[in-house]
Amino acid sequence: MSKKTVSILSMVVCVFLLFTGCTSNSQKTSENNAESTATANDSKVTPPGTFPIVKDKITFKVVTVQDQTIDDINANEFTKWYEDKTNIHIDWTVLPGSAVKEKIQVLLAGGDLPDVFMNGGINDTLGVAYAAQGAFLPLDDLIEKYAPNVKKMLKEKPFLLDYMRTPNGKIYSLTGLTEVLHTYMPKKMWINKPWLDRLGLSVPTTTEEFYQVLKAFKTRDPNGNGKQDEIPFAAANSANNEVECFIMQSFLFYEKGVYLTVENGKIQFTADRPEFKEGIRYLKKLFDEGLLAPESFTQDRKPLTALVEDPGGARIGAIPALYWGHFSVDNGPSGRYKEYVPVPVLKGPEGKAIAFTRAAGSWGSNLITSKCKNPEAAMRWFDWFFDTEGAMKEGYVAGMGKEGRDWKRLAPDSGLKGIDGKPATFQRLVDFGKKQTVHWNQMAPSYTPESLRLGEAQLDQDSLEVKLQEITKKYYQPYQALEKRVPFMFYPEDVLARNGDQKAALDKIVQTWLVKFITSNGDIEKDWGTYTKELENAGVKDYVKTVQDNYDKYLKNKK
């Protein structure tokens, strides 16, 4: 964590008192104001589920972060539709995507708060810290009285409360959820199927089989040009393209940058364990035998794409990536993206196969400030977004637009299939992600469970969404290990600052030595002690203890 960030966060030291139960006067004042305002405004807000929300039009000042697909939020068709529906006008402040953190911090420090932040770029640390100063209202009572859709979501997906309920027991931010299975297990591997076929080989299922396939790619001319110009295995330093992340799943639970796992209620550091060392030895063997491209540690994705899309034929055998669009031209004219098929999580020497599993939730950054004079109306304004199915029945969805023009509902006998291969329930009529003026895309929070998302019609059952759903479910989900991942937890501001600095220092040490050990610039047998000593000097024990202490509190609060 930078000194600048620590300096900014140090202005809000009272958050630690909040965590230990000593609520600040400003916090108490905000909560008392919220309670009295609720009583006063009950008559001004129509009952949950009825519209408009207020009888007499009101205006909310709302801060949000720019969605690049929305041309002009003020002129947006949905903006006008929702204002007519709710009787609430929005005075927008739209922050550009660049330097959002700095702009938010200046806004909060200046005290000139809007009524609402919607996907407003406020992370959990700042959100909880400024809540301690009274900048944000606790939402628990408001959810209970005015947000039936949020309550329904939390009943169906109770794990989301981990991202919402802060250490003082209160909720300050609403989080949404769109369940996309393939993004939860992003550490995948793809292999050149035509090369396998020419050599009479099968997709490998173990680390030993993978090694033998790479050797065949190097020596048996799988591209058939008579030259030994094939690159058996190449990676990049971009997210999910890293050299080690897929391979390490065959040795232990591995989360790059964090290097922690949970075992029987205990937090364990992973990057000094024998299994990690064994994974490095395996990668070093690949490197020493010319099976792993040296450029893998420094290049981005562009060289991967250039080599895969080579006019003379694809040049790479195996590539780690979330999906084929991260190393080839998705739906490109060459069709190379179709040539790569998934490699399942490989079983390692000890039979381990542990798919890194990312958590589904997030903090949310949807908050009501203490400046809001009608928080009941603000909560009702938010709540509508959490009923996507209800919005579809109503004919206008914040993230898709108007029924009949932008999307349509489908009868069970329409003949179209959804992402899961079952009868589709709806169909987009306008491509997702294009610049438009009729809806809010992903700017508003929403709740789209997998059962609803999978009902989207796919005209091509070979589409990206269909393939990734099938691939993840078949080759990666059976090995998921979410229970091994340290869950999302709130930290006191001073603890978070120290912990963040330690994590950054440890990550630098791990990655530096990882490259040394694999590329032979370091002797893993001779220098392992030097490496672990550096970790010790960087505070690895304190890093683990800090997370363990917080994890113990987390478990206690869940009881």
Side-chain angles (χ1 to χ4, degrees), residues 37-59:
T37 302
T39 302
N41 284 337
D42 275 346
S43 61
K44 295 181 182 179
V45 182
T46 58
T50 61
F51 292 88
I53 292 173
V54 291
K55 295 177 182 178
D56 299 321
K57 180 168 285 192
I58 60 175
T59 296

Side-chain angles (χ1 to χ4, degrees), residues 227-239:
K227 304 176 183 177
Q228 198 176 77
D229 58 353
E230 295 87 351
I231 302 171
F233 175 23
N237 60 9
S238 304

Side-chain angles (χ1 to χ4, degrees), residues 40-347:
N41 284 337
D42 275 346
S43 61
K44 295 181 182 179
V45 182
T46 58
T50 61
F51 292 88
I53 292 173
V54 291
K55 295 177 182 178
D56 299 321
K57 180 168 285 192
I58 60 175
T59 296
F60 283 151
K61 292 183 177 181
V62 176
V63 170
T64 189
V65 177
Q66 175 70 50
D67 184 313
Q68 295 301 321
T69 70
I70 300 174
D71 191 40
D72 180 355
I73 190 63
N74 290 292
N76 190 276
E77 182 181 299
F78 177 77
T79 301
K80 297 176 181 178
W81 181 88
Y82 200 45
E83 178 174 335
D84 290 340
K85 178 180 178 63
T86 60
N87 215 17
I88 297 174
H89 174 73
I90 303 301
D91 181 2
W92 295 98
T93 296
V94 181
L95 303 177
S98 59
V100 168
K101 289 183 180 179
E102 290 79 1
K103 295 178 188 297
I104 288 292
Q105 288 164 347
V106 170
L107 185 63
L108 292 173
D112 185 20
L113 298 174
D115 296 285
V116 166
F117 283 88
M118 182 180 74
N119 282 338
I122 298 175
N123 63 28
D124 56 286
T125 305
L126 282 179
V128 175
Y130 276 92
Q133 292 187 333
F136 303 118
L137 297 178
L139 305 180
D140 307 71
D141 290 343
L142 293 170
I143 292 171
E144 182 63 32
K145 294 179 180 179
Y146 304 104
N149 296 323
V150 173
K151 288 172 63 178
K152 179 176 180 290
M153 175 186 73
L154 294 177
K155 183 178 180 180
E156 294 177 357
K157 308 292 179 181
F159 71 88
L160 290 175
L161 278 170
D162 289 347
Y163 299 88
M164 297 169 63
R165 195 170 300 287
T166 61
N168 76 334
K170 297 185 182 298
I171 294 172
Y172 295 96
S173 177
L174 300 172
T175 184
L177 177 68
T178 298
E179 293 186 304
V180 184
L181 178 64
H182 68 81
T183 65
Y184 300 157
M185 281 159 276
K187 310 301 182 182
K188 300 178 174 71
M189 179 74 80
W190 307 87
I191 198 163
N192 192 314
K193 187 64 164 58
W195 287 13
L196 291 173
D197 293 343
R198 289 190 189 111
L199 300 179
L201 300 172
S202 301
V203 174
T205 60
T206 68
T207 50
E208 176 61 24
E209 289 176 4
F210 186 63
Y211 167 66
Q212 295 298 336
V213 165
L214 296 184
K215 285 207 304 182
F217 283 173
K218 178 178 173 61
T219 61
R220 294 173 56 188
D221 191 27
N223 66 9
N225 67 357
K227 304 176 183 177
Q228 198 176 77
D229 58 353
E230 295 87 351
I231 302 171
F233 175 23
N237 60 9
S238 304
N240 305 315
N241 293 111
E242 306 97 329
V243 168
E244 84 276 18
C245 288
F246 175 82
I247 294 298
M248 282 296 176
Q249 296 177 125
S250 304
F251 297 88
L252 76 171
F253 180 85
Y254 180 77
E255 183 172 7
K256 181 179 179 179
V258 178
Y259 311 112
L260 295 174
T261 188
V262 180
E263 290 185 358
N264 299 318
K266 298 298 181 182
I267 304 298
Q268 304 285 341
F269 190 71
T270 58
D272 61 355
R273 299 180 68 167
E275 300 95 326
F276 181 68
K277 188 176 183 181
E278 193 62 29
I280 293 175
R281 286 195 185 104
Y282 179 80
L283 287 165
K284 177 175 171 52
K285 180 170 71 170
L286 301 185
F287 184 87
D288 288 348
E289 296 188 23
L291 308 179
L292 171 60
E295 300 82 11
S296 298
F297 299 95
T298 56
Q299 67 187 2
D300 59 19
R301 292 170 180 158
K302 291 179 181 178
L304 296 178
T305 302
L307 288 166
V308 169
E309 296 290 344
D310 189 309
R315 298 268 308 284
I316 305 177
I319 308 170
L322 170 66
Y323 85 114
W324 51 87
H326 285 170
F327 58 83
S328 65
V329 179
D330 187 20
N331 286 316
S334 72
R336 297 283 168 73
Y337 69 97
K338 294 181 180 179
E339 295 181 0
Y340 287 81
V341 297
V343 177
V345 180
L346 300 170
K347 290 184 180 180

Side-chain angles (χ1 to χ4, degrees), residues 324 331 337-338 458-467 470:
W324 51 87
N331 286 316
Y337 69 97
K338 294 181 180 179
Q458 303 295 299
L459 300 182
D460 180 3
Q461 282 296 299
D462 201 34
S463 71
L464 182 148
E465 290 295 330
V466 171
K467 289 173 67 177
E470 291 176 347

